[in-house]
Amino acid sequence: MDQVQGKVWYERALYYGEIGDKANAKKAYAMAVNYDSTLPSLPKLKTKSKDQLLRTLEIICLICIILIGGWLLYLIYGPTLSLENNTFPSRIIYQKGEKTESNKIISTSKPISYNRTGNSNFKLLQNALYYYIIDNQRFPATLDELVQKEYLKDIPVESSTGSNQVSNRFSGEGGWVYNPPKIFAANKIEEQIGVALFTNIKNIPYRLFRPLSLEVSLGKSIILLKEGNNFLKSWPISIGSSSTPTPTGSFRIIEKNILANGQENSYGSRWMKFGEHYHSDTNLQTSDTLAQRGIGIHGTNDPTDVGRSITQGCIRMRNEDIEELYQLIPNGIITEIITN
């Protein structure tokens, strides 16, 4: 029996020697002679040949080339893949501060700098779509419904090509691609918007969609534009006096107007009207509408008014500031007015 065991271990030692595994070959030979001391010595142990090493290196290089090539193809053609299945590459571009939890103001003086993945017209169109869905609990069949329902005055142009043409298939010819999902998911509106609407331009990465909203701080006399939980920009404002204070709460902008020259005396160049109190819980009772009281955001022809508590309850901005804000937001946007 010992001789049989010794032969088994000896054969195993020979195998390890053939493949160049010296350590295991020596261990197996030690076990073999432990059973049968008459076994011959092992032949000179082989080491891995140069050919084997070169072949291994070639395989490693080939795998690296395939991986790098696939990555380059994804960078070049990634955004055009899988559109017919209503999916989109998950490559995400974050703006400065987007991963942080802090409410950091990115800019308080310069205009918002949107790159090609986040230009202001694209954000405007996305957010008009978002607030349409919030109100109607469905995606519109076409983007023209956003104009018909007055979330937009018209479909904005894609900034790099100057086109506002809408297609349901990607072609790279400019404008927009809109392909609403077949199944509406109320708990995944933001994700579905990111897939359903994007620019019809090559090599534009997918960017995570977060809705725009406004926040007004009465204590600091500023209005802030937010994207998700992150602040993008702020502007100084005037607020209501002690006898006619600006109301606090969450409101929707229900009307946006460019004012004619004759109307500029009291409201400046732009007017945006508030509607009723907005609540995410539709069972909550709403108060009387601010629209009936004529409360909203408007400009002024006297910039020295800004920063003071002098209005009849409205929020007053410098004309150049409200003209900038007016271009960035759709009808329906939520405005949170807080004391501090």
Side-chain angles (χ1 to χ4, degrees):
M1 179 62 74
D2 286 347
Q3 287 183 337
V4 173
Q5 290 290 337
K7 187 174 182 180
V8 170
W9 280 104
Y10 187 76
E11 293 292 335
R12 187 174 299 176
L14 290 175
Y15 168 74
Y16 284 132
E18 286 292 328
I19 64 174
D21 190 345
K22 290 184 178 182
N24 282 322
K26 290 178 178 180
K27 288 179 183 179
Y29 181 71
M31 291 294 295
V33 297
N34 186 48
Y35 285 108
D36 185 358
S37 58
T38 63
L39 290 169
S41 300
L42 286 175
K44 186 177 179 180
L45 296 177
K46 295 182 178 180
T47 58
K48 289 187 177 180
S49 66
K50 283 187 177 181
D51 289 342
Q52 287 177 308
L53 291 174
L54 287 174
R55 182 166 180 79
T56 302
L57 186 60
E58 287 175 355
I59 292 172
I60 293 173
C61 290
L62 181 61
I63 292 172
C64 291
I65 291 170
I66 291 172
L67 291 175
I68 293 171
W71 180 69
L72 290 174
L73 286 172
Y74 178 72
L75 287 179
I76 297 170
Y77 300 107
T80 67
L81 300 177
S82 303
L83 297 183
E84 292 187 10
N85 296 325
N86 209 28
T87 59
F88 206 76
S90 58
R91 182 152 46 96
I92 298 172
I93 301 299
Y94 290 93
Q95 283 195 354
K96 182 179 179 182
E98 188 162 286
K99 287 186 177 180
T100 66
E101 296 296 328
S102 61
N103 291 334
K104 180 179 179 182
I105 300 174
I106 293 177
S107 170
T108 58
S109 58
K110 296 180 180 179
I112 299 171
S113 178
Y114 293 113
N115 57 30
R116 292 181 69 199
T117 66
N119 64 73
S120 58
N121 281 353
F122 184 37
K123 287 181 181 293
L124 176 64
L125 186 57
Q126 281 184 313
N127 280 274
L129 178 60
Y130 173 79
Y131 285 108
Y132 175 99
I133 295 167
I134 290 296
D135 292 336
N136 297 277
Q137 289 299 294
R138 66 175 180 87
F139 277 76
T142 68
L143 294 182
D144 289 336
E145 290 186 44
L146 303 181
V147 178
Q148 295 165 6
K149 298 287 187 178
E150 299 185 346
Y151 291 87
L152 295 169
K153 296 291 184 183
D154 48 43
I155 301 298
V157 299
E158 190 283 309
S159 58
S160 65
T161 60
S163 171
N164 68 349
Q165 295 298 309
V166 181
S167 174
N168 62 358
R169 298 176 68 88
F170 181 85
S171 65
E173 297 176 354
W176 314 107
V177 177
Y178 178 61
N179 190 13
K182 295 178 175 61
I183 300 175
F184 171 65
N187 61 336
K188 294 185 177 180
I189 293 175
E190 295 176 14
E191 291 87 343
Q192 287 192 316
I193 287 175
V195 171
L197 175 64
F198 47 92
T199 52
N200 194 6
I201 307 173
K202 291 182 179 179
N203 305 329
I204 299 297
Y206 170 76
R207 187 180 185 279
L208 188 68
F209 169 73
R210 289 291 179 261
L212 296 176
S213 63
L214 297 175
E215 184 171 301
V216 175
S217 172
L218 300 179
K220 296 182 179 179
S221 294
I222 55 173
I223 185 169
L224 302 108
L225 179 63
K226 298 171 61 179
E227 184 179 31
N229 292 324
N230 298 295
F231 294 113
L232 297 180
K233 187 168 185 183
S234 69
W235 298 267
I237 59 172
S238 294
I239 61 174
S241 64
S242 57
S243 59
T244 55
T246 300
T248 57
S250 294
F251 308 97
R252 301 285 296 277
I253 289 178
I254 62 170
E255 183 180 319
K256 292 172 60 190
N257 289 306
I258 297 175
L259 302 180
N261 291 335
Q263 297 172 288
E264 287 187 3
N265 293 330
S266 57
Y267 292 106
S269 60
R270 300 290 187 275
W271 162 248
M272 297 188 287
K273 182 190 290 187
F274 288 137
E276 64 185 18
H277 278 78
Y278 169 77
H279 301 285
S280 58
D281 185 346
T282 55
N283 294 323
L284 291 176
Q285 296 295 316
T286 57
S287 66
D288 61 320
T289 66
L290 295 187
Q292 294 173 344
R293 295 171 53 192
I295 302 294
I297 307 172
H298 62 81
T300 179
N301 292 324
D302 187 357
T304 60
D305 285 348
V306 174
R308 302 164 61 190
S309 302
I310 58 172
T311 75
Q312 299 295 309
C314 285
I315 294 164
R316 191 178 298 178
M317 302 175 67
R318 292 182 299 224
N319 279 342
E320 60 267 29
D321 291 343
I322 196 170
E323 287 168 10
E324 179 183 10
L325 177 61
Y326 186 94
Q327 296 294 327
L328 299 175
I329 60 174
N331 260 340
I333 192 171
I334 297 172
T335 302
E336 182 81 18
I337 302 177
I338 59 175
T339 302
N340 233 339

